[in-house]
Amino acid sequence: MAMRAEAEAKWPDLAGRLDHDDGQVCHVLPVRVYFEDTDFSGVVYHGAYVRWCERGRSDFLRLLGNSHRGLLDGSAGQPPGAFVVRTMSLDFRKPARIDDVIEVRTQATEIGAAAIDLKQTIFRENQVICAVDVKVVLISNAGKPMRLAAALRSAFGNTTR
């Protein structure tokens, strides 16, 4: 635990930052495109966008005062569980290329009893290159949907209109 706190103090921006977009709290994660993210031509392979969105959602959760580890071990104020992706829709608009610096912006748009809808937008120089809609569901270790605890709902609830 102390080593994690030390790493977070040393790299305070590693998880991106919370920002505001149209008066709504959102998470912004900068990402550089590396060779491993691309195909042989230097264009980003579609699977990389899914990984970047997962990082954005994970760091959004972290900066809201929670973490996947806390959810898994039950220290996040509710029984142990995890978020899983139920649905995801990606709209690829422009290609990203090797060495581009992009931003993954994540916003919660709707909070249900056990699910959260999120809008994720990937930008390069303020131009949308990929738009993503995702629904995550909180499930127990047994794989059953579980209600979001009040503290978790409140953390995400402060981000929606």
Side-chain angles (χ1 to χ4, degrees):
M1 197 69 147
M3 288 179 64
R4 195 168 350 145
E6 279 181 36
E8 289 176 13
K10 185 175 179 180
W11 300 102
D13 56 354
L14 185 62
R17 69 180 189 276
L18 294 178
D19 205 348
H20 289 82
D21 188 4
D22 294 329
Q24 182 180 355
V25 175
C26 70
H27 177 261
V28 181
L29 180 68
V31 176
R32 180 178 304 279
V33 176
Y34 292 103
F35 184 76
E36 69 182 10
D37 300 317
T38 65
D39 62 17
F40 68 93
S41 69
V43 173
V44 170
Y45 179 71
H46 70 277
Y49 295 89
V50 175
R51 284 195 316 272
W52 297 333
C53 285
E54 174 64 39
R55 292 177 196 167
R57 292 189 308 274
S58 294
D59 284 332
F60 188 27
L61 180 67
R62 181 175 289 109
L63 291 180
L64 290 175
N66 295 282
S67 70
H68 287 296
R69 184 181 302 229
L71 288 172
L72 288 168
D73 68 18
S75 66
Q78 65 176 61
F83 281 111
V84 295
V85 172
R86 174 141 191 256
T87 61
M88 179 179 266
S89 170
L90 292 90
D91 179 13
F92 300 100
R93 298 185 183 175
K94 302 248 182 219
R97 300 182 188 285
I98 194 164
D99 289 330
D100 282 352
V101 175
I102 60 171
E103 289 183 355
V104 179
R105 296 185 193 172
T106 305
Q107 296 174 297
T109 58
E110 188 172 329
I111 301 169
I116 301 172
D117 292 340
L118 300 125
K119 176 177 83 168
Q120 295 188 275
T121 312
I122 301 175
F123 290 86
R124 180 186 53 232
E125 298 177 359
N126 294 319
Q127 182 178 42
V128 176
I129 62 172
C130 186
V132 182
D133 292 312
V134 62
K135 178 185 287 284
V136 295
V137 177
L138 185 63
I139 63 168
S140 68
N141 289 344
K144 304 281 186 200
M146 41 189 283
R147 296 184 72 78
L148 297 165
L152 193 53
R153 289 183 62 76
S154 176
F156 278 102
N158 291 333
T159 68
T160 58
R161 293 182 189 152

